[in-house]
Amino acid sequence: MGSLILIILVIIPGVRSADWGVTFKSQCALKGTSVVIKCTYDYPVGHFVTSVSWSKAQRESDRWSLVPLSNLPSPPNHFRYVGNYWRDCSLQVNDVQHSDDGFYFFKFVTTLNRWTSKSYAHLSVRELTAVGQPSTVTEGGNVSLTCVSGCLTPVDVVWFRDGQRVLNPVFQARKEDAGRYYCAVLGQETIRSAAVALNVQYAPENVTLSVTPSGDVVKGDSVTLTCSSDARPPVAQSGYRLYKDGHFIGLGQNHTIADIQHSQGGLYSCQAWNNISWRGIDFINSTEVHLDVRYHPVNISISMNPLRVLEGSSVTLSCSSDSNPAADNYTWYKRTASPNSTLQVGSGQVLSIPSVDASHTGLYLCRARNALGENNSTEVLLATTEEEHGGQPLAVIAGISVALLVTLVFALLLLWRKHRTHAEKQVTTSNQTVSDFGLSGRGSSSSATEEQSDNVYVNIHTLPSCPPPATDTTPLSQRISHHEHDAPASNEDEVTYSTVSIKPRNPRLPHSINNSRARQDSWSKTGVNDDSVIYTTVAKSS
Ligand SMILES: *[C@@H]1O[C@H](CO)[C@@H](O)[C@H](O)[C@H]1NC(C)=O
Ligand SMILES: *[C@@H]1O[C@H](CO)[C@@H](O)[C@H](O)[C@H]1NC(C)=O
Ligand SMILES: *[C@@H]1O[C@H](CO)[C@@H](O)[C@H](O)[C@H]1NC(C)=O
Ligand SMILES: *[C@@H]1O[C@H](CO)[C@@H](O)[C@H](O)[C@H]1NC(C)=O
Ligand SMILES: *[C@@H]1O[C@H](CO)[C@@H](O)[C@H](O)[C@H]1NC(C)=O
Ligand SMILES: *[C@@H]1O[C@H](CO)[C@@H](O)[C@H](O)[C@H]1NC(C)=O
């Protein structure tokens, strides 16, 4: 504040020269304020001041010149002389601007002389500067704001964030504290600092997975999954991860599925990551989105229960389909005689026929429908099963076998009674023989007679009417030789096996053999080489 008193003695005839002078006080002013440059002046007794003026040193090219304030391009009333015409020469500057910074000189004219100050008043124009420490903070971190004035004069300041008063310049950052801060002179809020930004970083929040288009997704649609979040810094593309049913699908904010399939439905979620952890978690999960892919019925099939239908019994046909939502309308059709013509025979998922008759046989199909469409099953044949047909289930075959067997055994029994009188002891053969041959046929069952097989083996499990054991071997007919030998079995309750061999006649062999040894030989030969003899053996197991 160099306050300079410059007394210049000017030799003017008849006037004391020691009293001429101007005293200034230099000033520092904040931009926007009004400031008074204090100034006093003096002159010898006997003079009367006739005019006063202020000028400012302006640099033009390389030399300075004094420009009267009235010649400066400034708004009216920017400079205002607040002094008087005898001692005070103070100057007020309103709404100080940086352009006002500089050196000011005072000049006055008296009745006898004129005087220009040799010294000057310096006006420095400064500003408030706001500083936030740190300028970037993670949510929860401490922030302290300071306001620095360019002038030494202390000044009370207040703080604003985006125009809102901030009460405390030291705080823990929340995400909403981010913004632009400035300080201002208390009571003169227009006099303010430039704004400084406070950046508050935080981990992703409100991580949301959305599906477009919204609403129902139908198989074949194109669907885009978008992960979004509120985060600072914003989540980069590579910071987003998409999951389906807990399995990683891919990186990126958007994921498009063109031609979506049923299998692509499921529980989707995404994660967002921006390098800021939240309570130790780096990857923040979104809410889950259930993607439900709807499709019309496919894989429609009919199951029939039971598989083999006897006339007069009941049958149910069930229609099943795969669809989303589940099919809610099933219709049953039966093909009619005329080609490509069908008759609706029922509705509902199950078609029951309590008593099947010939009119029910034919081709059936069902149609399944849901809101998205319909389709038909393949056709199934409903046919009644008859016993003479081949390929029946085992139970039927067993029944037929037993029936045939019983018939055969009765026939054998009749033959046995008829030829009982011719029974001979020597015909008795060992069980050994029977087992050699009979066992080879055990278990054979299927349609031997129809297939014209050479050998017929039948197992008899019970023979309640079997008479006491006896043995017999006899030629049975003219067309075939029939050798029969019963093992000398013991008890009526035991299981009896019957073996029947039917073979074309071989003329080289004798029709009957009385010697048991020779007979065993012929058995052996017959079993291996000879097709021409037909044997029947009924053995009762021991
Ligand atoms: C976020 O999602 C992933 C993937 O689905 C899962 O493994 C993880 O456990 C989830 N984390 C939390 C905190 O739920
Ligand atoms: C963010 O990541 C960069 C490097 O990728 C690392 O230098 C920095 O410390 C991380 N910041 C935070 C807050 O974890
Ligand atoms: C239909 O059946 C096929 C074969 O069983 C299967 O591969 C396909 O996934 C099924 N379709 C649907 C939509 O379930
Ligand atoms: C099933 O579809 C037929 C048309 O094919 C319609 O007449 C019937 O009302 C539907 N049934 C139900 C239960 O929606
Ligand atoms: C109906 O099913 C048939 C055979 O299963 C298939 O060829 C056809 O494309 C299906 N129709 C529709 C509309 O899906
Ligand atoms: C299913 O079968 C019914 C009866 O034959 C027929 O009217 C309908 O057009 C068929 N629907 C489809 C999709 O094939």
Side-chain angles (χ1 to χ4, degrees):
M1 313 294 138
S3 162
L4 248 124
I5 301 173
L6 189 66
I7 301 177
I8 301 170
L9 301 179
V10 180
I11 309 302
I12 298 174
V15 176
R16 271 176 49 206
S17 59
D19 294 324
W20 295 93
V22 182
T23 308
F24 297 113
K25 191 155 186 282
S26 287
Q27 286 288 338
C28 178
L30 293 174
K31 176 175 177 287
T33 56
S34 290
V35 66
V36 173
I37 301 172
K38 289 271 192 315
C39 167
T40 55
Y41 62 106
D42 213 351
Y43 51 90
V45 176
H47 290 256
F48 297 95
V49 176
T50 56
S51 76
V52 293
S53 69
W54 282 82
S55 48
K56 187 167 180 249
Q58 293 279 63
R59 194 182 176 91
E60 277 164 17
S61 60
D62 59 345
R63 66 185 198 91
W64 290 87
S65 64
L66 291 182
V67 178
L69 296 185
S70 54
N71 290 358
L72 291 174
S74 44
N77 283 329
H78 184 64
F79 298 107
R80 194 165 146 247
Y81 184 70
V82 292
N84 51 37
Y85 284 81
W86 53 92
R87 291 280 306 171
D88 188 351
C89 52
S90 295
L91 175 73
Q92 180 174 338
V93 186
N94 293 314
D95 188 17
V96 173
Q97 300 299 310
H98 284 294
S99 58
D100 297 326
D101 198 301
F103 304 95
Y104 291 82
F105 292 82
F106 180 63
K107 185 168 93 174
F108 63 95
V109 179
T110 68
T111 43
L112 300 174
N113 204 350
R114 60 182 56 217
W115 186 259
T116 299
S117 64
K118 300 301 175 202
S119 178
Y120 51 83
H122 181 212
L123 176 62
S124 353
V125 179
R126 298 288 182 264
E127 288 192 43
L128 294 177
T129 307
V131 179
Q133 277 292 344
S135 62
T136 294
V137 63
T138 300
E139 192 175 16
N142 290 322
V143 176
S144 122
L145 303 170
T146 45
C147 189
V148 180
S149 167
C151 296
L152 290 176
T153 333
V155 58
D156 287 331
V157 296
V158 286
W159 283 94
F160 292 87
R161 184 197 67 242
D162 300 324
Q164 303 292 312
R165 260 309 281 279
V166 172
L167 294 179
N168 196 340
V170 177
F171 53 89
Q172 275 197 330
R174 299 159 303 164
K175 60 179 242 192
E176 57 268 30
D177 291 329
R180 296 181 66 75
Y181 286 80
Y182 58 81
C183 53
V185 175
L186 177 63
Q188 278 181 280
E189 276 83 14
T190 54
I191 299 155
R192 61 200 208 185
S193 68
V196 289
L198 175 67
N199 234 319
V200 182
Q201 296 191 324
Y202 49 95
E205 294 178 0
N206 301 327
V207 183
T208 315
L209 182 63
S210 59
V211 180
T212 44
S214 57
D216 286 348
V217 175
V218 175
K219 177 175 175 289
D221 281 355
S222 176
V223 167
T224 299
L225 296 156
T226 303
C227 194
S228 58
S229 66
D230 172 17
R232 196 145 310 269
V235 176
Q237 277 292 330
S238 60
Y240 285 110
R241 297 154 160 252
L242 183 67
Y243 291 84
K244 173 181 180 283
D245 299 322
H247 299 293
F248 177 71
I249 299 280
L251 291 176
Q253 185 166 22
N254 296 302
H255 187 82
T256 298
I257 307 172
D259 189 18
I260 193 166
Q261 296 302 305
H262 160 58
S263 60
Q264 287 170 300
L267 211 51
Y268 284 84
S269 66
C270 66
Q271 289 181 332
W273 169 82
N274 72 341
N275 196 9
I276 310 291
S277 322
W278 176 79
R279 299 184 187 170
I281 302 172
D282 291 329
F283 293 89
I284 311 298
N285 282 0
S286 72
T287 50
E288 292 184 320
V289 169
H290 188 254
L291 191 60
D292 190 30
V293 180
R294 293 151 69 89
Y295 51 99
H296 62 70
V298 295
N299 286 357
I300 306 161
S301 63
I302 296 177
S303 60
M304 183 156 56
N305 185 27
L307 281 174
R308 307 289 160 189
V309 187
L310 290 173
E311 227 171 276
S313 68
S314 71
V315 66
T316 56
L317 302 178
S318 304
C319 189
S320 66
S321 72
D322 182 2
S323 70
N324 183 19
D328 54 4
N329 192 332
Y330 291 91
T331 315
W332 291 89
Y333 298 94
K334 180 174 183 293
R335 255 199 203 290
T336 55
S338 51
N340 285 330
S341 170
T342 53
L343 181 69
Q344 186 182 334
V345 292
S347 62
Q349 198 166 359
V350 174
L351 179 70
S352 293
I353 304 175
S355 174
V356 177
D357 61 38
S359 71
H360 292 121
T361 62
L363 288 167
Y364 286 78
L365 66 103
C366 69
R367 186 194 64 200
R369 167 185 288 182
N370 69 2
L372 288 118
E374 63 176 46
N375 208 346
N376 289 336
S377 69
T378 51
E379 297 178 353
V380 298
L381 177 66
L382 175 63
T384 51
T385 300
E386 287 164 33
E387 299 179 7
E388 62 269 23
H389 288 316
Q392 293 88 345
L394 282 176
V396 177
I397 294 170
I400 293 168
S401 302
V402 167
L404 285 173
L405 205 111
V406 169
T407 313
L408 182 66
V409 167
F410 271 101
L412 291 175
L413 281 172
L414 285 174
L415 287 171
W416 175 70
R417 284 175 184 273
K418 189 175 175 183
H419 297 283
R420 191 172 185 172
T421 48
H422 304 291
E424 294 169 10
K425 271 290 182 201
Q426 68 191 81
V427 177
T428 303
T429 55
S430 68
N431 286 333
Q432 194 76 40
T433 309
V434 172
S435 59
D436 281 347
F437 294 90
L439 284 175
S440 67
R442 295 186 79 171
S444 76
S445 58
S446 64
S447 59
T449 47
E450 284 182 7
E451 292 170 10
Q452 305 301 314
S453 170
D454 285 345
N455 298 305
V456 177
Y457 300 104
V458 182
N459 295 329
I460 300 173
H461 297 289
T462 55
L463 247 184
S465 60
C466 187
T471 57
D472 195 350
T473 280
T474 323
L476 285 181
S477 74
Q478 304 308 311
R479 273 179 54 237
I480 57 171
S481 286
H482 190 137
H483 292 258
E484 179 184 40
H485 48 175
D486 283 347
S490 48
N491 296 321
E492 287 186 0
D493 293 341
E494 285 184 323
V495 180
T496 304
Y497 296 94
S498 168
T499 303
V500 179
S501 299
I502 303 169
K503 306 198 173 189
R505 176 196 301 267
N506 185 340
R508 287 177 299 165
L509 284 181
H511 287 190
S512 71
I513 299 161
N514 290 334
N515 181 285
S516 73
R517 179 179 297 272
R519 198 184 157 278
Q520 286 190 21
D521 290 343
S522 80
W523 262 109
S524 306
K525 285 177 183 171
T526 302
V528 177
N529 301 318
D530 194 342
D531 312 359
S532 63
V533 181
I534 298 173
Y535 301 95
T536 299
T537 306
V538 177
K540 202 161 185 203
S541 74
S542 52

